[in-house]
Amino acid sequence: MIVPTRPTRVAHVRAALLGAAAFVAGCAPPTREERAAELFQYCTQCHGDRGEGRIEYGAPAIAGLDAWYVEAQLVKFRTGTRGDHPEDVEGLRMRPMSRALASDDEVRLVASYVASLPPVPSTPTLEGDPERGRTLYASCVQCHGADARGNRAVGAPPLVGASDWYLLRQLRKFRDGVRGTDPMDPTGAQMRPQAVALGDEQSMRDVLAYVSTLAREVSP
């Protein structure tokens, strides 16, 4: 029998250790970034692979949204504070998707991943009078800001860059009581009287036409 020399034995041991390390690496749990990307797959069917949104599903563009806002909305959907009204078709679709996230930490992971995605520019789809909309937007400034960039302190999301068709649907929901009536939704309760004050469809379109001009002004 040939006895391996010392260098050969060392080579065998080294190879075994490298093989063991490769096996352990292959079985290592995913990093938080990898797990966030995995969890985002729940969102892609409706919101798209890049978070660009899909109008046929009523799913808005979410790429680049502030993590705090995404997290807040996911929590609302998970708890039924939002998306529990029988006339909120898109909200009812979102509820089970949000509850597929198993913990608060997974909610935060998805929110941070969405925030890290490059924003996808939206194209205006509505006709409205931006000059009239400028006047009407005065009631929105206190929460959403003069530049429509939002205000975390009052839970107001940015409006610039959002799809106008989506914002119009949300204004209708607030006006009609489909959103903003749950006692556990204080930010929704703030929005509802604003939408009611706008009242008619044309006023909503005019405000959103003005917001679209702000989106163009702040674009790089």
Side-chain angles (χ1 to χ4, degrees):
M1 180 178 66
I2 300 176
V3 179
T5 61
R6 180 174 176 77
T8 304
R9 287 176 179 168
V10 170
H12 286 170
V13 171
R14 182 176 298 164
L17 289 173
L18 288 174
F23 176 78
V24 171
C27 297
T31 65
R32 288 184 66 80
E33 292 76 13
E34 291 169 341
R35 181 58 179 154
E38 290 175 358
L39 292 169
F40 181 70
Q41 296 309 304
Y42 288 123
C43 314
T44 57
Q45 182 176 350
C46 293
H47 292 282
D49 293 337
R50 298 177 295 130
E52 71 275 17
R54 299 178 69 176
I55 190 172
E56 63 268 31
Y57 294 136
I62 56 176
L65 275 176
D66 292 333
W68 67 264
Y69 180 70
V70 177
E71 181 179 345
Q73 298 313 299
L74 285 172
V75 169
K76 287 184 180 183
F77 282 122
R78 281 164 59 82
T79 59
T81 307
R82 178 180 175 186
D84 202 35
H85 193 284
E87 294 180 26
D88 189 358
V89 176
E90 295 85 9
L92 291 170
R93 186 183 299 127
M94 265 299 303
R95 278 214 71 200
M97 298 306 296
S98 66
R99 297 180 78 174
L101 301 173
S103 65
D104 292 343
D105 188 54
E106 290 194 348
V107 169
R108 287 190 289 270
L109 281 175
V110 169
S112 64
Y113 185 84
V114 168
S116 73
L117 295 172
V120 179
S122 61
T123 302
T125 64
L126 306 175
E127 293 185 4
D129 180 354
E131 287 305 313
R132 181 170 181 262
R134 182 195 298 270
T135 301
L136 294 170
Y137 184 76
S139 63
C140 312
V141 170
Q142 184 175 356
C143 291
H144 293 283
D147 57 2
R149 291 298 188 98
N151 184 350
R152 181 176 184 176
V154 294
L159 304 178
V160 289
S163 303
D164 57 5
W165 58 264
Y166 172 75
L167 294 178
L168 179 60
R169 292 185 187 185
Q170 300 315 301
L171 284 173
R172 290 171 179 161
K173 289 179 181 182
F174 281 120
R175 180 194 63 193
D176 299 339
V178 176
R179 279 189 70 180
T181 57
D182 191 291
M184 300 300 292
D185 185 9
T187 53
Q190 292 172 357
M191 261 304 302
R192 184 146 193 261
Q194 299 299 321
V196 170
L198 282 176
D200 64 278
E201 182 91 358
Q202 191 57 54
S203 294
M204 294 180 180
R205 291 173 178 265
D206 291 345
V207 166
L208 297 177
Y210 173 65
V211 170
S212 292
T213 68
L214 294 176
R216 289 193 292 273
E217 289 173 7
V218 300
S219 297

